[in-house]
């Protein structure tokens, strides 16, 4: 798996892959007592939350550097070869990486528990 040129840890998984619906729907009661249901397909805005991996500090720093340009569209290439155009979803936390084990002076080889909050956008 890759985000632009950054290789992601192999054991990241797509946590909310099936939580998104490809259509939006609204229903309203009319003044005359009828019931109107409207639906429309959704193209973008699908959340992609990748979690479940440990990453060294150097990898976390690479990803936070990408996040520092939040308006830049990124290409996410999944393990199966499919691609998505994404932005970091800063409202959900963007790159989250708490220390796996608290340390006073983390080094380049210190491990963090990695979660990436992304959202699909128009290419």
């Amino acid at each position: 798996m890759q985000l632009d040129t950054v290789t992601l840890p192999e054991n990241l998984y797509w946590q909310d892959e099936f939580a998104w619906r490809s259509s939006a729907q609204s229903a309203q009661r009319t003044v005359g007592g009828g019931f109107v249901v409207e639906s429309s397909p959704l193209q973008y805005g699908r959340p992609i939350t990748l979690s479940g991996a440990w990453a060294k500090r150097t990898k976390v720093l690479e990803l936070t550097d990408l996040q520092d340009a939040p308006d830049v569209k990124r290409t996410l290439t999944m393990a199966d070869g499919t691609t998505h155009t994404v932005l970091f979803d800063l409202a959900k936390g963007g790159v989250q990486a708490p220390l796996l084990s608290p340390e006073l002076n983390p080094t380049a080889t210190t491990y963090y528990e990695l979660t990436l909050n992304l959202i699909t956008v128009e290419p």
Side-chain angles (χ1 to χ4, degrees):
M1 217 178 319
Q2 279 194 293
L3 183 59
D4 280 350
T5 60
V6 177
T7 301
L8 301 175
E10 291 179 14
N11 55 341
L12 277 176
Y13 70 96
W14 188 351
Q15 172 183 319
D16 50 4
E17 181 176 6
F18 298 107
W20 188 75
R21 304 292 172 249
S22 60
S23 297
Q25 185 181 65
S26 69
Q28 286 185 313
R29 181 82 49 199
T30 67
V31 175
F35 194 64
V36 177
V37 177
E38 295 179 303
S39 60
S40 180
L42 300 174
Q43 295 179 346
Y44 305 106
R46 182 178 193 172
I48 298 179
T49 306
L50 302 174
S51 61
W54 296 354
K56 290 183 181 179
R57 181 178 181 84
T58 53
K59 184 66 62 182
V60 172
L61 291 172
E62 277 184 279
L63 292 165
T64 56
D65 283 348
L66 291 181
Q67 180 183 249
D68 286 343
D71 294 337
V72 175
K73 294 177 182 180
R74 310 281 178 193
T75 300
L76 174 66
T77 305
M78 304 300 280
D80 65 1
T82 59
T83 61
H84 303 275
T85 302
V86 297
L87 291 174
F88 284 97
D89 190 345
L90 300 181
K92 285 182 63 182
V95 176
Q96 295 175 312
L99 277 164
L100 192 59
S101 178
E103 295 183 27
L104 291 177
N105 299 305
T107 66
T109 59
T110 299
Y111 280 96
Y112 294 77
E113 188 174 346
L114 182 62
T115 299
L116 298 177
N117 295 287
L118 307 168
I119 192 162
T120 62
V121 293
E122 185 174 8

